[in-house]
Every structure is written in C-alpha cells, then in structure tokens.
Amino acid sequence: NAGVMQNPRHLVRRRGQEARLRCSPVKGHSHVYWYRQLPEEGLKFMVYLQKENIIDESGMPKERFSAEFPKEGPSILRIQQVVRGDSAAYFCASSPVWVGQAFFGQGTRLTVV
Amino acid sequence: GIQVEQSPPDLILQEGANSTLRCNFSDSVNNLQWFHQNPWGQLINLFYIPSGTKQNGRLSATTVATERYSLLYISSSQTTDSGVYFCAVEITGGSYIPTFGRGTSLIVHP
C-alpha cells in the first residue's frame, strides 16, 4: 500500500479517556484523509487535510474530534472523552495531488471499554 | 452528495468461477478506484481507473464514465479473493474527497 503508516494498529481506551491516532503519509504526499469504518459497513469520510490546513471536515463530529497535519510529523486524529460508539476502525489515506490515487494505511482499530 | 451504489451486496462463489461486480455513481467523476479489503481489514488498491479498461492478472476493470458505472471482473476466483470490494469516486468539480460505496462482500469456497 505504498507506505502509509498508521499507529497504533490496535488501541483500547476506557470511556472518558483520550485516543490519539497517528498517520504518516507516503513520502512526498501532502494530502491526507481520515475515514471511519463501523463493523459491516463501508468507509465514511471524516476529514481532509493538507499540510497545516484543514480542507474539509464535514464528516467529522463537531465535538470531541479534532485532526491536524502539521508541517513536520504525522497527521493526528484526536478523540477526547471517548464513548463506546467511537469503537471502530479508523483509516488514513494519502495522495500526492488533487484528484490523485489514494493509498490507505492498515487502520487503527479502536475499542472503547 | 454523490450516490455510489455497488451490486451485488453479497456474492458466494466456488473456486474457479468468474464474477462481475458493479459500481454505479450518480454524478460525473474525475477519479474512480477499486479496493479489496481482505479478511484482516487491510485495504488494497486494485485499480485507479477514471475511464477505460485495465487488467492486472486475473482482475480487470472497466469504467464507462459517460454512463456512470464501473465493472470489476474477477476470473478463475481463488479463496484468497474473499473479502469486501469497494469502489470510491471523486466527483467532477467536487472537493476531491473519495466517496465509498457500501461494498460487495465476496466469499470464495474451495
């Protein structure tokens, strides 16, 4: 999958804790997307970022969720005060340009207990 | 927003059989990709195919952009083909965000 790295692969959090999911895009890619996948469902768009900018966050819940893609370092999806309904697989994808082929990481499976 | 519909939702095959998966979309697209999500959850790029036909081994794909559909062909299926197949599109003049269909779940029996 052209090198999109997500970590951790699995994350367990208790209700009320914070979850931080990291995504390192393919080297040279400046566009990052985050998606959420619930069991037995497709991938739902959450947020689209370029370096230091949020381009579209229309799919992200207004509260508790935030995302960033700093000039240096990985993109971070942050979920504060997690609830059981946040349990899902979170996928990150990167692409080099507008209208480019997107490559996905292996996902982070978040379980809230 | 754009509607992406995949059919059939579920498919069960005997090893060696051929199959065709379909992706219909409701608007003009700049970009279309097919992905395979294996039983371990990993998403694997199959084709980047906004138009035309491509082949890769036993798999091939055709997108007819003017008629707003794409087809994924799997020939001589193997058990390792099992998983969920997704198409994802980006609409023309849109926000360059891939929108996914709900997928076709394929089980190939030995």
Side-chain angles (χ1 to χ4, degrees):
Chain A
N1 274 334
V4 177
M5 301 300 295
Q6 288 189 248
N7 65 81
R9 293 286 307 280
H10 301 275
L11 182 60
V12 179
R13 284 288 177 265
R14 295 186 184 279
R15 281 178 294 171
Q17 290 185 319
E18 178 180 286
R20 279 189 179 233
L21 287 61
R22 286 177 289 278
C23 169
S24 296
V26 173
K27 188 176 181 180
H29 285 193
S30 57
H31 299 247
V32 165
Y33 307 85
W34 285 94
Y35 287 80
R36 177 164 62 179
Q37 185 178 33
L38 295 171
E40 309 298 325
E41 293 192 11
L43 279 77
K44 302 295 185 188
F45 165 75
M46 297 182 74
V47 61
Y48 170 29
L49 309 108
Q50 291 182 36
K51 286 283 187 180
E52 301 183 278
N53 285 306
I54 296 175
I55 303 302
D56 189 316
E57 56 182 349
S58 59
M60 201 151 69
K62 294 285 186 283
E63 298 182 356
R64 302 188 299 108
F65 285 73
S66 63
E68 62 176 6
F69 187 18
K71 187 176 180 181
E72 302 290 338
S75 175
I76 305 288
L77 178 66
R78 183 181 178 206
I79 311 172
Q80 296 178 291
Q81 300 176 317
V82 296
V83 300
R84 288 228 171 101
D86 297 332
S87 295
Y90 292 83
F91 287 92
C92 164
S94 74
S95 69
V97 295
W98 298 100
V99 196
Q101 185 175 5
F103 294 89
F104 279 79
Q106 293 190 308
T108 293
R109 277 145 188 86
L110 172 65
T111 303
V112 180
V113 297
Chain B
I2 190 169
Q3 304 297 313
V4 182
E5 296 187 358
Q6 292 187 241
S7 60
D10 301 282
L11 187 57
I12 299 174
L13 299 175
Q14 207 65 34
E15 200 168 29
N18 302 328
S19 63
T20 301
L21 283 57
R22 188 177 181 102
C23 174
N24 291 337
F25 39 94
S26 60
D27 211 335
S28 301
V29 299
N30 283 328
N31 180 12
L32 187 144
Q33 293 183 243
W34 282 97
F35 297 90
H36 174 216
Q37 187 169 38
N38 63 24
W40 295 270
Q42 185 179 2
L43 278 164
I44 299 165
N45 291 64
L46 297 178
F47 293 102
Y48 173 69
I49 186 166
S51 64
T53 297
K54 290 186 178 180
Q55 178 147 14
N56 184 2
R58 296 181 296 103
L59 302 182
S60 64
T62 295
T63 296
V64 184
T66 53
E67 297 187 22
R68 301 183 182 175
Y69 72 89
S70 183
L71 302 174
L72 178 68
Y73 305 96
I74 305 174
S75 63
S76 304
S77 58
Q78 300 177 357
T79 55
T80 52
D81 295 332
S82 296
V84 183
Y85 290 81
F86 291 104
C87 73
V89 304
E90 294 177 24
I91 62 172
T92 303
S95 54
Y96 308 101
I97 296 168
T99 299
F100 280 75
R102 293 182 63 87
T104 291
S105 177
L106 172 65
I107 298 174
V108 180
H109 288 302

